[in-house]
């Protein structure tokens, strides 16, 4: 009996020791795994940290470059606006004539810039050329012919026609000639023909001749 009891006690002790040993081995293995995992994680973090640090300046420099490019484009785009806002230089004589043109009700639909543009084209224009100028402005082109003639006479008092008068000789039917001084250029054949048709009236106009004559020099 004593031998049997001793054998059973020894078997129990050895079995318990085996459990303890297995538990120790399991604990040791777990500690080793945790240690390996933590070291790997810390190494990956250390390895990734310099990568993030080196990437950040590139982003900030790119942002600065984009901001600089945007500022340059904005400044270049704003330059033409400043030029466009500048008013054209006006002489003292033009200023006086502009004030008189501004008082004409038939020119009220025009802007200030359009009135100045019209004024500068009137100086060397003949009466027929001035009528053609009116057609270049929508508000004036829509005026009836009668109002255009009125406006032409009003402008003549402000900006006199500087084209010298020429002698126009119109050959009408039945051997009749009509002579008149006309402030038109001799190169304007259509206007000369129209003037001869009016001068001949019911008589047919065959030809016209434009001459420089003393009798028209003072007109």
């Amino acid at each position: 009996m004593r031998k049997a009891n001793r054998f059973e006690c020894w078997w129990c002790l050895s079995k318990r020791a085996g459990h303890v040993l297995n538990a120790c081995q399991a604990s040791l293995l777990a500690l080793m795994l945790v240690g390996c995992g933590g070291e790997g994680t810390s190494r990956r973090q250390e390895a990734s940290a310099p990568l993030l640090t080196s990437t950040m300046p590139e982003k900030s420099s790119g942002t600065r470059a984009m901001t600089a490019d945007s500022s340059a484009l904005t400044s270049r785009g704003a330059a033409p606006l400043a030029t466009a806002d500048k008013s054209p230089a006006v002489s003292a004589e033009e200023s006086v004539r502009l004030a008189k043109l501004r008082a004409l009700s038939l020119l009220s639909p025009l802007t200030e810039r359009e009135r100045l543009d019209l004024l500068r084209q009137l100086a060397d224009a003949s009466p027929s050329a001035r009528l053609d100028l009116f057609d270049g402005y929508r508000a004036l082109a829509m005026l009836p012919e009668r109002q255009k003639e009125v406006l032409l006479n009003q402008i003549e008092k402000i900006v006199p026609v500087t084209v010298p008068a020429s002698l126009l000789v119109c050959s009408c039917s039945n051997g009749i000639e009509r002579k008149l001084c006309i402030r038109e250029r001799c190169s304007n054949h259509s206007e000369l023909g129209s003037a001869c048709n009016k001068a001949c009236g019911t008589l047919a106009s065959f030809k016209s001749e434009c001459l420089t004559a003393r009798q028209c020099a003072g007109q």
Side-chain angles (χ1 to χ4, degrees), residues 153-165:
N153 294 331
Q154 291 176 337
I155 290 178
E156 167 71 18
K157 297 177 181 178
I158 300 172
V159 188
V161 176
T162 59
V163 176

Side-chain angles (χ1 to χ4, degrees), residues 188-204:
N188 192 348
H189 300 294
S190 61
E191 187 60 29
L192 296 180
S194 176
C196 280
N197 287 332
K198 292 179 181 179
C200 292
T202 58
L203 301 175

Side-chain angles (χ1 to χ4, degrees), residues 27-65:
S27 299
L28 181 61
L29 180 59
L31 290 175
M32 291 176 65
L33 290 175
V34 170
C36 293
E39 183 180 1
T41 303
S42 62
R43 287 181 180 177
R44 283 195 298 270
Q45 291 177 349
E46 291 174 357
S48 61
L51 181 60
L52 292 174
T53 304
S54 62
T55 305
M56 289 300 292
E58 293 180 1
K59 290 183 180 180
S60 60
S61 61
T63 304
R64 287 194 298 270

Side-chain angles (χ1 to χ4, degrees), residues 94-205:
E94 287 178 335
S95 181
V96 172
R97 288 181 172 179
L98 271 176
K100 295 179 179 179
L101 291 179
R102 200 179 296 117
L104 300 180
S105 59
L106 292 175
L107 292 182
S108 59
L110 300 184
T111 64
E112 190 69 10
R113 183 178 291 273
E114 288 175 334
R115 277 190 288 267
L116 177 60
D117 179 64
L118 177 61
L119 173 62
R120 290 177 174 176
Q121 296 182 77
L122 289 172
D124 298 328
S126 64
S128 62
R130 291 184 173 191
L131 287 174
D132 293 336
L133 287 177
F134 293 167
D135 293 336
Y137 303 89
R138 185 177 180 182
L140 303 183
M142 298 174 64
L143 292 175
E145 293 300 321
R146 177 57 184 165
Q147 288 188 331
K148 287 183 180 180
E149 291 291 341
V150 171
L151 179 59
L152 190 65
N153 294 331
Q154 291 176 337
I155 290 178
E156 167 71 18
K157 297 177 181 178
I158 300 172
V159 188
V161 176
T162 59
V163 176
S166 301
L167 177 63
L168 179 63
V169 180
C170 303
S171 299
C172 308
S173 59
N174 299 331
I176 299 175
E177 286 186 347
R178 295 283 190 264
K179 296 181 180 181
L180 62 154
C181 293
I182 183 172
R183 300 180 71 84
E184 292 289 342
R185 291 185 172 86
C186 291
S187 58
N188 192 348
H189 300 294
S190 61
E191 187 60 29
L192 296 180
S194 176
C196 280
N197 287 332
K198 292 179 181 179
C200 292
T202 58
L203 301 175
S205 175

